[in-house]
Amino acid sequence: MYGLRLFLRRSLPLLRQARCYADAPSSSPQMSFTFASPTQAARLHSAEKRVNESTTGARKVLATHVPTLQVLRPGVVTVFNEDGGATKFFVSSGSVTVNADSSVQLLAEEAVPLDGLDLSAAKANLEKAQSELVGVSDEAARAEIQISIEANEAIVKALE
């Protein structure tokens, strides 16, 4: 019994010092990336792909990233291709899951290429929603209008 106590006393400090960082990348890290919305899905593979997503702050995801789950807010998602080109999408909301096997799933409620949006229409929708908010007393209708305002503000910010 004394031997077991002595062993535990000596080994516990070593166990507490264990680090839980991502593994060092191999010579050619691979990241499987899936970007999907109800209207479209794309499964992409590349040697080194990066994704910037709009959450409570900007995030960058590389191959061998630490596993995580994030919630997307309205904003721009930039996908960097292996050739260095970038594609920008406006995402209304959704989630990003990074797995231990370097696979990433970005699931968006709505995703539109940034060049498919119109700044003047977004500003008009924003003004309309802000004027509707003044006369609404129903909580459910008020919440819908607040969501519309938040999304249109994000679109205007992305396009300016």
Side-chain angles (χ1 to χ4, degrees), residues 35-64:
F35 183 27
S37 72
T39 58
Q40 62 189 9
R43 184 164 180 86
L44 311 166
H45 298 275
S46 78
E48 184 181 348
K49 188 172 309 245
R50 291 163 285 177
V51 184
N52 293 351
E53 72 270 357
S54 171
T55 59
T56 52
R59 301 280 189 258
K60 211 177 251 192
V61 179
L62 300 167
T64 69

Side-chain angles (χ1 to χ4, degrees), residues 136-147:
V136 175
S137 60
D138 180 39
E139 288 298 317
R142 190 173 197 73
E144 288 180 18
I145 294 171
Q146 288 284 20
I147 291 169

Side-chain angles (χ1 to χ4, degrees), residues 109-133:
E109 292 292 323
E110 293 181 48
V112 179
L114 203 57
D115 57 359
L117 296 173
D118 182 22
L119 179 62
S120 60
K123 285 182 178 180
N125 289 338
L126 178 61
E127 289 175 10
K128 179 182 174 191
Q130 287 171 337
S131 66
E132 288 175 355
L133 186 63

Side-chain angles (χ1 to χ4, degrees), residues 14-76:
L14 295 175
L15 293 175
R16 287 186 193 135
Q17 294 176 3
R19 293 183 176 217
C20 298
Y21 295 116
D23 296 331
S26 63
S27 60
S28 61
Q30 293 287 318
M31 183 170 82
S32 169
F33 177 64
T34 303
F35 183 27
S37 72
T39 58
Q40 62 189 9
R43 184 164 180 86
L44 311 166
H45 298 275
S46 78
E48 184 181 348
K49 188 172 309 245
R50 291 163 285 177
V51 184
N52 293 351
E53 72 270 357
S54 171
T55 59
T56 52
R59 301 280 189 258
K60 211 177 251 192
V61 179
L62 300 167
T64 69
H65 193 280
V66 175
T68 186
L69 176 63
Q70 302 170 0
V71 176
L72 293 174
R73 298 184 64 171
V76 177

